[in-house]
Amino acid sequence: MYARDTARIATPIGWVEVTGDETRVERVAILTEGAPAHATAAAVTEAAEQLQAFFAGERRTFDLSLAPAATPRGQALREAIVAVGYGETLSYGQIAARALSSARAVGQACARNPLPLIVPCHRVLATGGLGHYSAGAGLTTKEWLLAHERRNGSD
């Protein structure tokens, strides 16, 4: 087991903090306050670089080793959320249908998502509007991320 490491980068939505070890990313947090932190662990450093490229409009997908979800069901929901493409949105119900689950379960997976941005729960919308967003400044962050992806085009 490798020691935990942290990187923190300044972004237009606040400080993005990546925690993990040499082999995988365990957590991403969007913070309102912070200071730069440089990691030495390979997986954390790679995640920080990919996130910087995402915010620069140069990256649309992530290729990172992630800590697995706590349960197989959680992993299946995570994969269904990751499958929503850059610049696209789907409703909780649409993702639930794809994952053979319920809209409530998708909403809970989004609310508990330890890897926002990488597992793009900002692309999951309520049927009648934006829905919620538990990372960063909530809906303000979600709106910024969706507008950023619209500005930078889709794959």
Side-chain angles (χ1 to χ4, degrees):
M1 177 103 172
Y2 294 98
R4 292 181 131 216
D5 199 1
T6 299
R8 200 171 306 110
I9 60 172
T11 75
I13 60 169
W15 292 93
V16 173
E17 183 176 83
V18 180
T19 305
D21 60 27
E22 194 66 30
T23 62
R24 67 186 189 182
V25 176
E26 296 174 2
R27 186 172 84 68
V28 172
I30 303 169
L31 310 172
T32 55
E33 298 179 356
H38 302 284
T40 58
V44 177
T45 300
E46 181 62 25
E49 290 172 1
Q50 289 189 28
L51 284 162
Q52 286 175 320
F54 170 82
F55 283 105
E58 299 164 357
R59 177 172 278 279
R60 291 174 172 79
T61 60
F62 297 97
D63 182 20
L64 300 165
S65 176
L66 306 176
T71 66
R73 188 80 205 121
Q75 187 66 34
L77 291 171
R78 178 187 287 180
E79 290 168 6
I81 295 166
V82 168
V84 180
Y86 184 94
E88 298 176 4
T89 58
L90 289 177
S91 71
Y92 295 100
Q94 289 171 310
I95 292 173
R98 289 181 173 189
L100 304 175
S101 189
S102 70
R104 180 178 300 249
V106 173
Q108 290 172 346
C110 288
R112 296 178 184 147
N113 180 8
L115 300 161
L117 305 170
I118 296 169
V119 177
C121 53
H122 61 277
R123 297 178 189 154
V124 184
L125 308 179
T127 301
L130 285 177
H132 299 284
Y133 194 64
S134 58
L139 289 179
T140 301
T141 300
K142 185 173 190 167
E143 289 171 333
W144 189 95
L145 290 166
L146 294 172
H148 171 72
E149 291 185 4
R150 281 192 303 271
R151 277 190 308 273
N152 289 292
S154 59
D155 285 343

